[in-house]
Amino acid sequence: MRPVRPCPRPAVGGAGPVRHRTAAGAGGCRRAGQQRSRPLGRTVLDASELSSKRKASGDTAGLLKDIPGVSLYSGGGASSLPAVRGLADDRLKVEVDGMPITAACPNHMNPPLSYIAPDQVGAIEVLSGITPVSAGGDSIGGTIKVDSPEPKFAAPGQDLLTTGRLSAGYSSNNHAISTGGEVTAATANASAKYSGSWTRAGDYHRGGDGAPVQTSLYQIEDHTVSLAGRRDGHLVELQGGWQFSPYEGFPNQRMDLTENSSKFLNGRYAGQFGWGKLDANAYWRGVEHEMDFLGKVKSANTMPMNTESDEFGYNLKAELPLNPRDTLRVGNEFQRYTLDDWWPPVTQTVGMMGPNNFFNIHDGQRNRIGTFAEWDARWTEKWSSQLGIRNDTVWMNTGEVQGYNGGMMYGPDAAAFNAKDRSQTDVNFDLTALLRYDHDKTASYEAGYARKTRSPNLYERYAWSTNSMASSMNTWFGDGNGYIGDVNLKPEIANTVSVAADWHDAAKKTWGFKVSPYYTYVQDYIDADLVANYTGTLAGYGLYRFANHDAELFGVDISGNRELMDDISLGRAVFKGSLSWVRGRNLDTGDNLYNIMPLNARLGVDHQLGGWSSGVEPAIGGQQGLRLRQPAGKHHAGLCPAEPAHRL
């Protein structure tokens, strides 16, 4: 949701939008000239910062790689999963144009950021520190908001505004070809826009011997139509779109994506009233997803796996300036997600994969309703605070399941699962408290505490078959193991303490340095316990059951910048650097947590001269004890080594 903010109030930690939506005639400011302080853990990438990054990545998640505390672990060419301070995937709150999106795949091949092409991104906001309750909900990590460009309108007195943009790119490593663009026609109060993109890439080539990484090819296209209107401080926008991918290879998974089709509708309203601001949106997204083998690399056989999901809901947020010191934010949201995951039979006779449909998740339902209240206070010109409380109630269920047949391979597991009471309800509470001190125009300090909660996803509770083939299809870790759920899993509860310091010149132009250490203790962290070791062709891998454990994560993010030159004829050059370190441990077993990025640093120089921009950026990664749930170096035929694939 991208609200109208014609006159933001100064306050700490406000979960403001990536960009300020404004409508003509939005009304007067209550406190003209003052602006809300940006939280020190908040990073915003606007259109100018994204212009060069878009060309270097076919993966929207790749646009985040320069943000301190953010790392990526790779899957398909357009489906990397971001991690923020060691917490990833469903533990993050990820929104695209105000829509939360749930991966509709047992391997999470279609994560939220795969549903918007880099060429269509207008701005990105990442909250890596203490996340306000107005920007959280059902997550224990940070928040990532990605928005398409805001609608354009003609200037007052202009009859018609028409604009267009076209881009194209080529990458020699995987012979990737991409194209994208948009066209807009608008009057002063109405706007219509079409935007689209298309990318096709072959297998990329690794370093060293330059051999291709098989099944890393992909193709994807996006199309979106947007209509918007504004009048007297009110903005209404309706989006509709379609995305289609006929194939996307996943070198670190047993399966590949053989088709993914998604349609969505998203309606938004933002208005300015005498009492404050109101933002609302309602959305729907339907996904049809198929997995099988690409080519003959992983298997000469076929094994189709189908998924269908529907996700719809709404968000309501109001901001009420109570007096010159205090601002109150309140909101309510609802999200319903339904999922069917079934595998058609390969044979019509009784066997390992026949003659019936295998129901991995049957009539799965996950519903959430959330309500929050958030109070910002500006006590003095130097001191400000934020306090927020939130409730999210999550209820979920699933229907009865069956295997390919009722024999001993699947029948006992299905019968045991069907006999359980599968209905679960979690009543979760979040709390955030943030205190900020602005010493002067060159130094700011911040300290905060957050209690955040996440309920399990459908697979963590309802994946049921212990069969080695069936269970190994349920894994978004890319490690080759198999996973089964636990209906009685408890929600994760994370308690985080974080501090931050930011030093810079008064204009925030010449130099800057920021440091932010943090510590998180997670009650009932959802890890996995070994149930049995596989035998036969899967020997060396194992069957794991999701289980609650206590865990901790701690680390530090450091970043800085220094202007090297600013010359009319030579342009402006800026040196940028960042360093991040995080450690995560299971306190019950002593093991390292999965998908934890080792110590890493980035150094770079950005140069801009007029409309031209360029840059160079080496990345440096360290080593740490990575946790593997099988012997190091063991991997399935056609499957890349199971060590987590972090991207620098």
Side-chain angles (χ1 to χ4, degrees):
M1 183 164 44
R2 290 170 283 184
V4 171
R5 295 192 186 277
C7 73
R9 284 178 52 84
V12 65
V18 174
R19 291 178 312 286
H20 295 158
R21 291 283 192 193
T22 59
C29 293
R30 289 179 176 267
R31 298 185 68 184
Q34 295 190 350
Q35 295 183 349
R36 177 179 303 155
S37 301
R38 174 183 294 183
L40 300 186
R42 177 175 180 247
T43 301
V44 173
L45 302 177
D46 59 21
S48 61
E49 294 173 287
L50 290 169
S51 59
S52 60
K53 298 178 185 292
R54 293 192 195 99
K55 299 175 181 62
S57 176
D59 182 4
T60 297
L63 302 176
L64 309 174
K65 62 185 177 64
D66 294 335
I67 298 176
V70 176
S71 61
L72 308 174
Y73 58 99
S74 301
S79 302
S80 296
L81 296 170
V84 179
R85 293 185 169 181
L87 298 170
D89 208 0
D90 287 344
R91 295 187 171 99
L92 304 178
K93 178 75 171 286
V94 183
E95 293 183 350
V96 176
D97 281 328
M99 297 178 287
I101 302 174
T102 305
C105 172
N107 295 316
H108 287 197
M109 292 181 175
N110 46 16
L113 295 184
S114 68
Y115 286 109
I116 183 170
D119 185 73
Q120 295 178 317
V121 175
I124 296 175
E125 177 187 26
V126 177
L127 292 160
S128 58
I130 300 299
T131 304
V133 294
S134 58
D138 199 29
S139 63
I140 63 171
T143 295
I144 300 172
K145 297 182 179 183
V146 177
D147 277 326
S148 56
E150 61 185 77
K152 298 176 182 177
F153 295 92
Q158 183 180 4
D159 292 334
L160 183 66
L161 170 70
T162 56
T163 65
R165 177 182 59 83
L166 183 65
S167 65
Y170 173 77
S171 174
S172 61
N173 183 288
N174 57 354
H175 302 292
I177 302 172
S178 62
T179 183
E182 64 180 43
V183 59
T184 297
T187 66
N189 294 310
S191 177
K193 182 180 74 171
Y194 163 80
S195 60
S197 67
W198 177 87
T199 301
R200 183 178 66 191
D203 291 334
Y204 69 83
H205 293 253
R206 67 193 183 201
D209 60 6
V213 177
Q214 295 182 316
T215 69
S216 60
L217 71 172
Y218 68 95
Q219 180 176 316
I220 191 168
E221 61 182 291
D222 294 86
H223 305 274
T224 301
V225 174
S226 302
L227 303 174
R230 64 178 183 177
R231 185 178 180 86
D232 299 332
H234 302 273
L235 176 68
V236 177
E237 187 173 4
L238 177 64
Q239 294 175 308
W242 174 67
Q243 184 196 74
F244 179 70
S245 174
Y247 59 85
E248 184 178 359
F250 283 76
N252 64 338
Q253 295 285 6
R254 299 188 183 278
M255 306 298 294
D256 297 306
L257 183 155
T258 53
E259 185 172 306
N260 195 88
S261 178
S262 170
K263 303 178 182 69
F264 80 91
L265 290 172
N266 185 25
R268 294 174 293 169
Y269 165 80
Q272 175 77 40
F273 298 89
W275 49 263
K277 304 163 190 170
L278 177 65
D279 309 314
N281 80 315
Y283 58 88
W284 166 82
R285 181 178 294 272
V287 176
E288 297 179 359
H289 173 76
E290 297 179 10
M291 292 191 298
D292 209 327
F293 304 115
L294 289 178
K296 305 294 183 181
V297 176
K298 296 178 181 178
S299 174
N301 300 314
T302 183
M303 195 173 78
M305 304 173 66
N306 300 334
T307 306
E308 289 186 2
S309 73
D310 282 282
E311 192 163 22
F312 61 89
Y314 67 80
N315 296 282
L316 293 171
K317 295 183 181 181
E319 182 175 305
L320 301 89
L322 303 179
N323 54 52
R325 187 192 70 186
D326 303 309
T327 298
L328 177 67
R329 269 178 232 99
V330 294
N332 176 262
E333 57 193 59
F334 173 75
Q335 180 185 11
R336 176 173 171 80
Y337 175 69
T338 63
L339 176 72
D340 279 294
D341 182 347
W342 80 100
W343 311 341
V346 175
T347 175
Q348 297 305 311
T349 59
V350 175
M352 185 176 182
M353 290 183 285
N356 304 318
N357 285 325
F358 183 104
F359 292 149
N360 194 32
I361 299 288
H362 183 220
D363 193 23
Q365 305 169 44
R366 192 180 191 275
N367 306 283
R368 177 178 63 88
I369 188 166
T371 305
F372 70 84
E374 191 171 86
W375 168 45
D376 283 359
R378 170 71 70 177
W379 301 99
T380 69
E381 290 300 314
K382 295 180 180 290
W383 289 96
S384 56
S385 66
Q386 181 186 87
L387 185 65
I389 188 169
R390 181 183 183 103
N391 164 247
D392 286 278
T393 299
V394 180
W395 65 101
M396 61 179 72
N397 204 348
T398 186
E400 294 188 351
V401 298
Q402 66 179 36
Y404 284 112
N405 56 69
M408 291 302 296
M409 194 175 294
Y410 306 108
D413 285 344
F417 181 83
N418 292 337
K420 294 179 180 179
D421 180 6
R422 300 177 297 279
S423 177
Q424 294 289 323
T425 301
D426 304 319
V427 181
N428 303 327
F429 289 93
D430 293 357
L431 174 70
T432 61
L434 196 63
L435 182 66
R436 175 167 175 150
Y437 174 68
D438 295 307
H439 178 70
D440 53 28
K441 292 183 178 181
T442 65
S444 298
Y445 307 92
E446 197 172 77
Y449 163 80
R451 180 192 193 271
K452 303 184 66 179
T453 315
R454 179 188 79 96
S455 288
N457 65 38
L458 290 176
Y459 289 100
E460 288 170 333
R461 273 187 168 152
Y462 298 134
W464 60 274
S465 178
T466 62
N467 174 267
S468 58
M469 181 281 296
S471 60
S472 65
M473 298 298 104
N474 294 312
T475 172
W476 47 94
F477 305 104
D479 61 5
N481 293 303
Y483 292 84
I484 55 176
D486 183 349
V487 172
N488 297 310
L489 275 179
K490 299 176 183 178
E492 298 175 323
I493 302 174
N495 297 271
T496 298
V497 177
S498 178
V499 297
D502 184 11
W503 298 278
H504 47 78
D505 66 288
K508 296 185 178 181
K509 178 180 179 294
T510 305
W511 67 274
F513 182 79
K514 184 187 297 184
V515 59
S516 180
Y518 56 89
Y519 176 85
T520 297
Y521 170 72
V522 186
Q523 299 170 256
D524 296 318
Y525 181 91
I526 298 176
D527 209 326
D529 294 341
L530 179 66
V531 176
N533 289 310
Y534 290 149
T535 58
T537 59
L538 296 183
Y541 295 100
L543 171 66
Y544 289 80
R545 175 181 283 111
F546 292 113
N548 291 119
H549 291 277
D550 290 342
E552 66 176 2
L553 300 98
F554 50 91
V556 62
D557 296 325
I558 301 172
S559 61
N561 63 276
R562 173 70 184 183
E563 185 179 76
L564 301 178
M565 70 174 182
D566 189 2
D567 183 84
I568 295 178
S569 58
L570 299 178
R572 183 171 185 261
V574 178
F575 169 81
K576 295 181 178 180
S578 66
L579 182 146
S580 294
W581 174 78
V582 59
R583 175 77 187 278
R585 296 190 303 164
N586 183 318
L587 295 177
D588 295 334
T589 65
D591 289 334
N592 292 326
L593 299 183
Y594 250 32
N595 297 318
I596 300 295
M597 183 71 168
L599 174 70
N600 63 97
R602 287 185 174 276
L603 304 173
V605 176
D606 293 338
H607 176 256
Q608 187 167 7
L609 176 60
W612 293 94
S613 61
S614 60
V616 58
E617 182 183 85
I620 305 167
Q623 294 184 346
Q624 68 179 32
L626 293 173
R627 177 182 174 190
L628 303 178
R629 293 191 181 117
Q630 72 280 324
K634 171 69 180 178
H635 58 94
H636 186 267
L639 191 71
C640 281
E643 184 172 312
H646 295 288
R647 178 182 296 176
L648 284 174

